[in-house]
Structures are given as C-alpha cells and as structure tokens.
Amino acid sequence: MKKTTVVLLTLVSLLAFAACGGDGDDIVIERKPQPVTPDASAGNSNRNTTGGTEAQTRLEFPRLKNNGSVVVVHRAQLNKTQEGVNYCVEWDPAINAQRWSCYQMYSTVNYHSSYNVARYKANNDGSLSPQCQYPNDADLPVAYQMTADPYKYNGYDHGHICPSADRLRSSESNYQTFYITNMQPQLKVFNSGIWDSIENQVRTWASLCDTLFVCKGGTIDKDEHIIKYITDHVTGTNRIPVPRYFFTAMLAKKGTTYKALGLWVEQLNEDHRRDALKDYVVSIDQLEELTGIDFFCNLPDETEVIVEATLTLNDWNLK
C-alpha cells in the first residue's frame, strides 16, 4: 500500500544526514586521476535540512526554496514486487505551480516493453476528479488543490515533468504521473518536439548507468522567465505561470563513478524537432546560474564541486 509524505517547508526538521546512492566505497570522478572519498561528516554544507528524510538524503533532490512551498513524496507500487518512492515534487501553492519533479531511474523501474503496463487513459473533462485524465494530486493537502483545470481551453498541453513513459512498470506509479502537480503548461510543438526528444534521450542514458538521478521543471521564479499566466476559463481562478524555459539536471552513477549534465531549452512558437540536443547542453554549474536552483545538494561538497563543474559531451555520446 502506498505511503505518502507531505512536508510544509515552513516547518524545520533536524534529521541527521545519511548519504544515499553509495555504499561507502571510494567515488572516482570520471576523468579525474584521484579518487574522491565522500565523507558526509566532513563536509556537506548546503544539503537540505528541511523537507523530511527524502529531501535530506536522496541525491535527486535539489536544495529546497523554503518559501512556504510544499514537498510531496509520492510512494507507489513500482513493479510487481517492489514498493518505494515514485517521484517527488516541490509545489508552490501561491501560484499553483510546481518548481520541479525529481526521481530516480534504474533497471527495475525503467521502460521495458516486456513488463510495461498500459498507459493511464481517462476522460479529459477538466474537473481534476480522481477519474479524469489529469486529477488533483491526492497527496497534496486539500487546502492547496485547485478546483478546475486551468490548462483546458487555454491552448497549452499538460507537459509531464516526470514522464508517463518513465513509470510504466505499474499502474499506480503511472497514474501518479498524471497528477496536475506533475504538469507544466507547454506549447504542443514543444511538448511533442524537443521535450519528447529529451525524454527519450534520458531513458537511453538511464539504461547505460546503474542509477540516473533526475530533476526537471519549468522556470517559475523570475518574471523574465515566465511567458504569461493562464487561468481557468470558467471561474478566472487557478492562475498559473507558463514557463519560458525548461530544464533537466541529471546525475549518473555507474559503479563508483559519477558524472552530471544539464539541459536548458526555451519554449518558443517554433519547431525544435530538427535541433540537436547538444545545442542545449550545459554544465550543472551553468544550469544553477540560469535557474537559481542548487542541484544535487545532498552530495558531499567535494564530490558536488567536481561533478557539477565537469562536462564533456563525449561522456554522454553527444557529438
């Protein structure tokens, strides 16, 4: 049975740091001659100290904004035998928008045609009911839930942030990806074009490593990073921002090595489908400057500094 953690970031939880994604072995940063041994007690100055156990330990989490937002940890049946964390969201109730979704990809949850279930499909009536195509997040406090779908009739797709196709090994985990809290407004040509290409490439990268830690979202924190606001066409409420930019931050772990890569793309009324993904690649350091988000903050400081500054396209098979 699913267990859900919802944390209001105005509450402070002082839990001890526990390094995740590692087993105590030395971590060798790719293309660096000396191994880096993570020592959580010796230096993890910017890790999360709020948001609950997951926010403080899981490597896919960025540093939380702590502005009255809410962290929702979705737990689900991940495959026939495994339960666990499906994906997590930082939700800003003041503007009805998610800041990001973050999640892990690894062999037992990755896309696999032999084990996949059917993609969730229902009537897109805009009601946000549990039975519609894009339901309210059942794990978000009722006080923060919207009353109607502001996307409907406004010309924007429901852009999945944690993709449906990344969670097809169980019906429950797939259904959760359709929560309105996992959506951002996207132009159809963007959603079916470059964003789809990014999703497919991320799945390829996930198949080549032990664990891929992913954080994705659209820009909602700066006026210049927002195209416009849209509202429910009936009531004029549920005002939400349309991001101008979308980002993807990835940390790949294979054996005892880490490497990281960022993607940053502008949402325009243009067809990006002929564009090469390498045109949008940035280091994590660069992505942090662009977004104002501190990614992979739960890594030990020495490890974080190296992987976030290091980027070679050949490491990711991008020419």
Side-chain angles (χ1 to χ4, degrees), residues 222-287:
K222 299 178 182 178
D223 288 341
E224 61 268 29
H225 287 175
I226 295 170
I227 296 174
K228 61 185 289 188
Y229 287 84
I230 57 176
T231 61
D232 169 42
H233 76 290
V234 175
T235 65
T237 60
N238 303 320
R239 182 173 181 262
I240 63 173
V242 179
R244 181 174 298 276
Y245 302 94
F246 283 84
F247 61 85
T248 302
M250 289 162 289
L251 176 70
K253 181 179 186 293
K254 186 171 185 178
T256 57
T257 67
Y258 285 131
K259 62 183 179 182
L261 174 140
L263 295 167
W264 170 261
V265 57
E266 185 170 5
Q267 176 172 217
L268 298 171
N269 286 301
E270 296 177 6
D271 190 340
H272 288 281
R273 278 176 284 195
R274 294 183 179 88
D275 295 352
L277 287 186
K278 67 180 179 62
D279 296 336
Y280 305 107
V281 168
V282 292
S283 70
I284 299 300
D285 277 349
Q286 291 172 309
L287 194 62

Side-chain angles (χ1 to χ4, degrees), residues 19 70 100 127 178 199 213 222 226 249 274 284:
V70 180
W100 43 257
S127 69
F178 286 87
E199 291 177 346
F213 304 92
K222 299 178 182 178
I226 295 170
R274 294 183 179 88
I284 299 300

Side-chain angles (χ1 to χ4, degrees), residues 144-173:
Y144 300 136
Q145 293 185 2
M146 291 185 280
T147 56
D149 188 349
Y151 293 70
K152 197 168 178 64
Y153 306 119
N154 271 308
Y156 289 93
D157 281 4
H158 296 76
H160 279 75
I161 303 304
C162 176
S164 166
D166 286 1
R167 292 296 189 258
L168 278 173
R169 299 286 279 270
S170 88
S171 296
E172 182 181 30
S173 64

Side-chain angles (χ1 to χ4, degrees), residues 96-314:
N96 296 308
Q98 65 127 275
R99 186 158 283 105
W100 43 257
S101 290
C102 67
Y103 54 99
Q104 297 181 11
M105 300 179 71
Y106 46 87
S107 61
T108 58
V109 300
N110 288 349
Y111 185 98
H112 195 299
S113 58
S114 298
Y115 304 113
N116 288 349
V117 300
R119 175 185 167 101
Y120 173 69
K121 181 67 175 176
N123 181 29
N124 183 17
D125 62 7
S127 69
L128 302 181
S129 72
Q131 293 77 37
C132 75
Q133 186 64 52
Y134 301 102
N136 257 318
D137 188 334
D139 301 326
L140 188 69
V142 173
Y144 300 136
Q145 293 185 2
M146 291 185 280
T147 56
D149 188 349
Y151 293 70
K152 197 168 178 64
Y153 306 119
N154 271 308
Y156 289 93
D157 281 4
H158 296 76
H160 279 75
I161 303 304
C162 176
S164 166
D166 286 1
R167 292 296 189 258
L168 278 173
R169 299 286 279 270
S170 88
S171 296
E172 182 181 30
S173 64
N174 187 256
Y175 173 78
Q176 288 181 348
T177 68
F178 286 87
Y179 284 158
I180 199 73
T181 51
N182 186 44
M183 303 294 155
Q184 289 277 19
Q186 293 183 345
L187 294 163
K188 183 173 291 295
V189 70
F190 179 86
N191 187 21
S192 62
I194 191 66
W195 193 245
D196 181 64
S197 297
I198 289 171
E199 291 177 346
N200 288 326
Q201 182 61 63
V202 170
R203 283 189 282 276
T204 298
W205 283 326
S207 70
L208 302 176
C209 61
D210 298 332
T211 305
L212 188 66
F213 304 92
V214 183
C215 183
K216 298 167 66 180
T219 54
I220 65 169
D221 289 325
K222 299 178 182 178
D223 288 341
E224 61 268 29
H225 287 175
I226 295 170
I227 296 174
K228 61 185 289 188
Y229 287 84
I230 57 176
T231 61
D232 169 42
H233 76 290
V234 175
T235 65
T237 60
N238 303 320
R239 182 173 181 262
I240 63 173
V242 179
R244 181 174 298 276
Y245 302 94
F246 283 84
F247 61 85
T248 302
M250 289 162 289
L251 176 70
K253 181 179 186 293
K254 186 171 185 178
T256 57
T257 67
Y258 285 131
K259 62 183 179 182
L261 174 140
L263 295 167
W264 170 261
V265 57
E266 185 170 5
Q267 176 172 217
L268 298 171
N269 286 301
E270 296 177 6
D271 190 340
H272 288 281
R273 278 176 284 195
R274 294 183 179 88
D275 295 352
L277 287 186
K278 67 180 179 62
D279 296 336
Y280 305 107
V281 168
V282 292
S283 70
I284 299 300
D285 277 349
Q286 291 172 309
L287 194 62
E288 290 178 338
E289 288 290 327
L290 290 164
T291 62
I293 298 173
D294 183 359
F295 298 102
F296 311 125
C297 66
N298 290 331
L299 281 170
D301 289 344
E302 185 177 5
T303 306
E304 182 184 0
V305 167
I306 297 173
V307 298
E308 292 188 354
T310 304
L311 172 63
T312 299
L313 293 183
N314 288 341

